[in-house]
């Protein structure tokens, strides 16, 4: 059973950089059929896609965050990571990592099928 | 960017009721729409992908339909464990976008 686990600081100072890592176990995302993705959810609000990375390191970002966000992949450690620069209180949210799958046994899927439990990151001094 | 308009934002229903949630895309997304269920303090759970295909283990009372710009999630007979918030996701093109969510509450 594939599992994803987010890790990183739960408190970040305003104007600093938020850094999170997602560790994948019980399977791999190192395939052209998978992307690693980051999604966040401010307290009491809906889901917002932050960005995704494909198996070759190609990245795709939410235009509203693109100038402040980077995502990287370390296949040797089965990890992908998120950085958000110049954070403000508006970046306070539960951050989820998830696997986006495009193809299974010849069937096109295109959805996030496995999610981490989420980690709350608070931006505050 | 493709905007996803989800309605209603909340619905009050009783056990056994039929509940319908809709998502409308601002442009044609073919059938690349997924539905998720989220309970308090938990991550989203995939229910439906490609508009109408069931994720393994999802009860048959959940069904999805639609293509193009208009999509529907139907719960045929609401069960106590179905009280949650539901989100749609358009997966046709980047940037991916979620609907605003529908909270299904106990009447």
């Amino acid at each position: 059973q594939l599992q994803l686990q987010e890790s990183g600081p739960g408190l970040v100072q305003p104007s600093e950089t938020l850094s999170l890592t997602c560790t994948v176990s019980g399977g791999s995302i190192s395939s052209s059929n998978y992307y690693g993705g980051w999604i966040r959810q401010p307290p009491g609000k809906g889901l917002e896609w932050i960005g995704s990375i494909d198996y070759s390191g190609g990245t795709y970002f939410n235009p509203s965050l693109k100038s402040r966000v980077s995502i990287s992949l370390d296949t040797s450690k089965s990890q992908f990571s998120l950085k958000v620069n110049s954070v403000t209180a508006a970046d306070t949210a539960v951050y989820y990592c998830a696997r986006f799958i495009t193809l299974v046994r010849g069937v096109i899927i295109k959805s996030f099928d496995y999610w981490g439990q989420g980690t709350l990151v608070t931006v505050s001094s | 960017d493709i905007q996803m308009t989800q309605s209603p934002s909340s619905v009050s229903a009783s056990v056994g009721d039929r509940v319908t949630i809709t998502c409308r895309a601002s442009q044609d997304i073919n059938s690349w729409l997924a539905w998720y269920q989220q309970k308090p303090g938990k991550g989203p759970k995939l229910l439906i992908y490609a508009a109408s295909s069931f994720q393994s283990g999802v009860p048959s009372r959940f069904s999805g339909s639609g293509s193009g710009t208009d999509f529907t999630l139907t719960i045929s007979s609401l069960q106590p464990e179905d009280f949650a918030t539901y989100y749609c996701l358009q997966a046709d093109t980047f940037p991916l976008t979620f609907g605003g969510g529908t909270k299904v509450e106990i009447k």
Side-chain angles (χ1 to χ4, degrees):
Chain A
Q1 175 85 348
L2 188 77
Q3 292 186 325
L4 297 93
Q5 178 69 56
E6 306 88 353
S7 60
L11 180 65
V12 181
Q13 302 282 322
S15 79
E16 298 292 304
T17 297
L18 179 161
S19 297
L20 295 173
T21 296
C22 182
T23 302
V24 181
S25 59
S28 172
I29 61 168
S30 300
S31 158
S32 60
N33 297 332
Y34 305 135
Y35 294 71
W38 289 96
I39 301 99
R40 71 181 183 179
Q41 185 170 37
K45 296 188 178 181
L47 301 167
E48 178 182 38
W49 176 74
I50 300 171
S52 294
I53 187 165
D54 66 28
Y55 74 107
S56 65
T59 52
Y60 311 82
F61 297 114
N62 186 324
S64 68
L65 297 167
K66 186 174 183 177
S67 63
R68 298 193 293 125
V69 171
S70 63
I71 298 176
S72 59
L73 179 66
D74 187 338
T75 55
S76 67
K77 295 182 179 179
S78 293
Q79 293 178 335
F80 57 100
S81 299
L82 170 72
K83 291 187 186 297
V84 183
N85 301 322
S86 305
V87 297
T88 69
D91 295 306
T92 294
V94 174
Y95 285 75
Y96 295 98
C97 63
R99 184 181 79 167
F100 186 83
I101 186 169
T102 58
L103 191 68
V104 175
R105 293 185 288 277
V107 177
I108 299 175
I109 306 294
K110 296 185 83 170
S111 60
F112 289 108
D113 60 346
Y114 286 94
W115 294 65
Q117 65 184 26
T119 186
L120 174 63
V121 178
T122 301
V123 178
S124 175
S125 56
Chain B
D1 301 356
I2 298 173
Q3 309 303 315
M4 301 302 297
T5 303
Q6 187 172 341
S7 61
S9 57
S10 65
V11 57
S12 293
S14 301
V15 173
D17 284 354
R18 181 183 184 91
V19 173
T20 299
I21 299 167
T22 63
C23 258
R24 174 164 288 174
S26 60
Q27 64 190 69
D28 188 342
I29 60 169
N30 299 292
S31 294
W32 303 123
L33 185 103
W35 289 100
Y36 294 86
Q37 177 192 68
Q38 186 179 34
K39 295 183 178 180
K42 302 290 188 180
K45 172 187 173 183
L46 177 64
L47 300 175
I48 303 285
Y49 61 88
S52 60
S53 297
F54 295 99
Q55 177 69 342
S56 176
V58 173
S60 59
R61 62 182 179 273
F62 291 93
S63 64
S65 64
S67 66
T69 60
D70 294 312
F71 301 87
T72 300
L73 174 71
T74 299
I75 310 172
S76 60
S77 178
L78 200 64
Q79 297 302 300
E81 60 268 31
D82 300 337
F83 292 96
T85 301
Y86 295 83
Y87 294 92
C88 62
L89 167 72
Q90 75 79 15
D92 183 54
T93 56
F94 290 118
L96 306 181
T97 43
F98 288 93
T102 296
K103 187 172 185 178
V104 178
E105 300 175 297
I106 300 173
K107 193 172 186 179

